[in-house]
Amino acid sequence: MIPARPDAESALRAAGLRVTAPRRAVYGALVGAPHARADEVFERVRDTVPGTSLQAVYNVLGDFVDAGLARRIEPSGQPGRFELRVGDNHHHAVCTSCGRVDDVDCVQGAAPCLHPGHDTGFVIHTAEVTFWGLCPDCASATSPHPIERTP
């Protein structure tokens, strides 16, 4: 279960970031659109924060990632996406048709939930897994008989 998300001002202060209108707006955009690309965040904030540029949004997102407030994920062949779900070792499922990205909880528990098959000498702290396939909407649109899923 994902804990309740703090308001923008509290989250920014807790991350050691100065509270500004662009940062509050970008935080709000990410709350409403997890896994958003920077251009999608820009579209969501440009009317609420006059004078905001795409570059300013990139700067804010970079500040969020540097401060540990957000995570950047980079599915192969797609632009980077940003999410506020940090501090756990969850993974992602990406639709190969429409590009939808969903969170997948780590089935093994605490980070890292996967371990390399042989000793690499690395001290592993995170495992990042991307599952590729069709989301339910795309799967049902391409198949006359949707795949049955068991609960």
Side-chain angles (χ1 to χ4, degrees):
M1 181 176 181
I2 301 169
R5 190 166 314 287
D7 64 276
E9 189 169 328
S10 298
L12 291 167
R13 290 188 197 285
L17 295 172
R18 195 165 48 91
V19 177
T20 65
R23 286 179 175 163
R24 279 195 310 264
V26 168
Y27 184 87
L30 289 176
V31 167
H35 310 118
R37 299 182 317 261
D39 63 318
E40 293 170 328
V41 172
F42 174 66
E43 289 298 319
R44 295 176 75 93
V45 304
R46 71 178 176 174
D47 293 333
T48 59
V49 184
T52 300
S53 66
L54 179 58
Q55 184 58 53
V57 168
Y58 270 108
N59 292 345
V60 169
L61 290 168
D63 291 344
F64 283 11
V65 171
D66 291 345
L69 182 60
R71 176 179 173 192
R72 178 185 172 110
I73 62 169
E74 299 182 32
S76 179
Q78 296 189 16
R81 295 169 180 258
F82 298 86
E83 64 180 344
L84 293 174
R85 186 174 172 188
V86 297
D88 66 354
N89 195 200
H90 73 279
H91 308 297
H92 297 95
V94 180
C95 180
T96 55
S97 181
C98 71
R100 172 177 155 180
V101 178
D102 284 358
D103 288 334
V104 176
D105 290 329
C106 185
V107 296
Q108 298 296 320
C113 61
L114 300 173
H115 301 279
H118 56 82
D119 185 16
T120 62
F122 280 77
V123 176
I124 306 296
H125 56 81
T126 305
E128 187 173 303
V129 176
T130 303
F131 299 94
W132 297 89
L134 294 176
C135 69
D137 292 339
C138 291
S140 66
T142 60
S143 172
H145 307 314
I147 300 168
E148 291 190 25
R149 294 177 184 15
T150 56

